[in-house]
């Protein structure tokens, strides 16, 4: 029974993946709720992180803020996850923290879809998808490199990032891929695991 259940669900995913409506199989009203809920959480998380990194730069400069992000970025998103009762992550195809790599096929699908939207000049707030993976629902939203401050740690290694900052980043993240960005580029995604609205009674 369990196998059949997973089989049906994975079939659902494969249908979902080739449709333009990325949440086919999900009730349209539920779909709207997922978008609203995901977008709300992503906006709050973005605000919280941004205000913390801005304060860290004001208090202890860009280098101090690198150390701050290194120690606090994941704990901050984890505490937001607790507050919202939804697992919140940041992921990227060119990740700095090894934990933030695109991990699943659904992540890669979300990346491709949102990168496509960014290429087609869809405005960043609308760069979002809801995808189903097994019995889980994931909301993804673009994190755009939207402010010149971001370049101090993610821009051009020669012209945007100060040498000491670059050295610090490379010491803390020997496999860093997250430099070389320009303003307006897609930097990463919010990934938010949402509670399915209807639980499967046959489980
Ligand atoms: C003071 C340096 C600094 C600034 C300024 C900065 N970042 Fe980062 N960023 C980091 C560090 C360090 C990490 C890795 C954090 C960790 O260990 O989880 C990171 C990680 C990220 C990630 C998670 C994916 C990954 O690569 O691990 C995203 C997305 C991101 N930054 C976007 C931005 C955006 C957008 C801005 C501007 C609003 C910005 N950052 C400004 C230092 C910075």
């Amino acid at each position: 029974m369990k196998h059949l259940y997973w089989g049906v669900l994975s079939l659902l995913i494969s249908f979902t993946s080739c449709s333009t409506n990325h949440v086919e199989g999900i009730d349209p009203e539920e779909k709207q709720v997922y978008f609203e809920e995901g977008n709300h959480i992503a906006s709050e998380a973005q605000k919280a992180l941004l205000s913390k990194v801005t304060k860290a730069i004001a208090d202890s400069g860009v280098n101090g803020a690198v150390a701050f992000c290194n120690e606090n970025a994941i704990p901050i998103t984890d505490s937001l996850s607790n507050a919202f009762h939804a697992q919140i992550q940041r992921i990227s195809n060119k990740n700095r923290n090894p934990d933030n790599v695109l991990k699943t096929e659904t992540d890669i699908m979300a990346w491709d879809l949102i990168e496509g939207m960014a290429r087609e000049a869809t405005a960043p707030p609308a760069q979002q998808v809801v995808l189903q993976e097994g019995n889980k629902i994931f909301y993804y939203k673009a994190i755009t490199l939207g402010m010149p401050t971001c370049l101090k740690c993610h821009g051009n290694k020669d012209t945007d990032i100060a040498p000491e900052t670059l050295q610090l980043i490379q010491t803390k993240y020997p496999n860093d891929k997250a430099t070389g960005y320009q303003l307006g580029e897609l930097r990463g995604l919010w990934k938010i695991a949402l509670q399915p609205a209807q639980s499967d009674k046959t489980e």
Side-chain angles (χ1 to χ4, degrees), residues 14 17 19 24 34 39 43-44 48 65-66 87 102 104 117 123-124 139-140 147 165-166 170 193 196 201-202:
S14 41
S17 59
S19 84
E24 209 166 54
Y34 293 139
N39 193 24
S43 305
E44 290 301 313
V66 170
Q87 195 197 8
L102 307 181
T104 66
M117 292 177 194
Y139 168 89
Y140 294 87
M147 295 163 54
T165 307
L166 187 61
Q170 287 172 342
K201 301 287 189 301
T202 59

Side-chain angles (χ1 to χ4, degrees), residues 46 50 53 57 61-63 65-66 69-71 73-74 90-92 94-98 100 143-147 149-154 165 169 173 176 178 187-189:
Q46 178 81 29
L50 195 61
V53 76
I57 293 174
V62 175
N63 293 354
V66 170
C69 290
N70 175 247
E71 285 159 28
I74 298 269
R90 292 189 304 168
I91 55 172
S92 179
K94 293 202 300 167
N95 53 307
R96 175 156 292 166
N97 185 320
N100 296 339
I143 302 173
T144 306
L145 198 126
M147 295 163 54
T149 315
C150 313
L151 296 174
K152 292 184 196 290
C153 298
H154 295 295
T165 307
I169 291 172
Y173 304 93
D176 179 39
R187 169 69 264 272
L189 300 180

Side-chain angles (χ1 to χ4, degrees), residues 44-189:
E44 290 301 313
Q46 178 81 29
K47 253 192 273 172
L49 258 193
L50 195 61
S51 74
K52 295 230 157 72
V53 76
T54 308
K55 183 170 186 308
I57 293 174
D59 290 349
S60 52
V62 175
N63 293 354
V66 170
F68 176 85
C69 290
N70 175 247
E71 285 159 28
N72 296 297
I74 298 269
I76 290 169
T77 42
D78 284 351
S79 73
L80 289 164
S81 300
N82 287 336
F84 286 106
H85 307 292
Q87 195 197 8
I88 305 172
Q89 296 170 69
R90 292 189 304 168
I91 55 172
S92 179
N93 68 336
K94 293 202 300 167
N95 53 307
R96 175 156 292 166
N97 185 320
D99 282 352
N100 296 339
V101 69
L102 307 181
K103 294 185 190 77
T104 66
E105 294 208 352
T106 313
D107 291 350
I108 294 166
M109 195 192 296
W111 186 271
D112 290 346
L113 289 167
I114 289 180
E115 199 179 42
M117 292 177 194
R119 241 193 339 263
E120 288 157 19
T122 304
Q127 293 170 10
Q128 48 179 349
V129 290
V130 170
L131 296 174
Q132 190 171 1
E133 181 189 290
N135 59 351
K136 297 192 183 126
I137 300 286
F138 292 103
Y139 168 89
Y140 294 87
K141 183 172 194 188
I143 302 173
T144 306
L145 198 126
M147 295 163 54
T149 315
C150 313
L151 296 174
K152 292 184 196 290
C153 298
H154 295 295
N156 184 294
K157 283 189 201 176
D158 300 321
T159 53
D160 295 318
I161 307 178
E164 322 81 73
T165 307
L166 187 61
Q167 204 180 11
L168 193 60
I169 291 172
Q170 287 172 342
T171 308
K172 296 199 181 290
Y173 304 93
N175 299 314
D176 179 39
K177 303 190 193 85
T179 57
Y181 287 90
Q182 293 178 0
L183 213 56
E185 274 192 302
L186 181 62
R187 169 69 264 272
L189 300 180

Side-chain angles (χ1 to χ4, degrees), residues 15-24 31 113 117 129 131:
F15 281 131
T16 308
S17 59
C18 6
S19 84
T20 46
N21 174 1
H22 309 303
V23 285
E24 209 166 54
K31 178 178 77 173
L113 289 167
M117 292 177 194
V129 290
L131 296 174

